[in-house]
Amino acid sequence: MRIIELFAGIGACSKALKNIGIDLEIVDAVEIDKYAMASFNAIHGTNFQCQDIRTYNKTFDNIDLITHR
Ligand SMILES: C[S@@+](CC[C@H](N)C(=O)[O-])C[C@H]1O[C@@H](n2cnc3c(N)ncnc32)[C@H](O)[C@@H]1O
């Protein structure tokens, strides 16, 4: 499942899905707070940079799930 997390925080939505055995590809995570982003990356083994949803303007193909808050 290809997922984008908006207002990603530490990525609890992705963590919960992984915990029930769903094979996830985290395509992007939008989080403005550097400490939350660092925690997200540590938990999920990713390397996303902070992003502000107010200026977010990316497009991706074949996204299965977008989480929000
Ligand atoms: C309720 S928390 C989300 C919790 C998240 N679902 C988790 O698993 O940790 C909302 C998050 O939105 C982030 N946020 C607030 N304003 C933002 C903005 N303009 N752009 C991106 N993220 C933002 C906050 O830093 C905060 O981590």
Side-chain angles (χ1 to χ4, degrees):
M1 177 182 286
R2 284 165 55 80
I3 183 171
I4 295 175
E5 286 226 36
L6 306 181
F7 303 95
I10 63 170
C13 297
S14 289
K15 186 72 171 78
L17 292 167
K18 288 177 182 176
N19 284 354
I20 61 170
I22 295 180
D23 185 21
L24 276 192
E25 178 186 353
I26 305 174
V27 177
D28 205 2
V30 184
E31 172 54 51
I32 200 168
D33 181 80
K34 66 179 180 180
Y35 298 109
M37 193 78 265
S39 297
F40 185 107
N41 285 329
I43 290 166
H44 297 286
T46 52
N47 191 28
F48 294 115
Q49 304 299 308
C50 288
Q51 305 180 83
D52 188 335
I53 196 72
R54 293 169 291 189
T55 55
Y56 189 72
N57 187 28
K58 293 180 181 174
T59 58
F60 295 97
D61 293 327
N62 302 319
I63 299 302
D64 300 300
L65 182 64
I66 299 173
T67 62
H68 175 232
R69 295 239 176 205

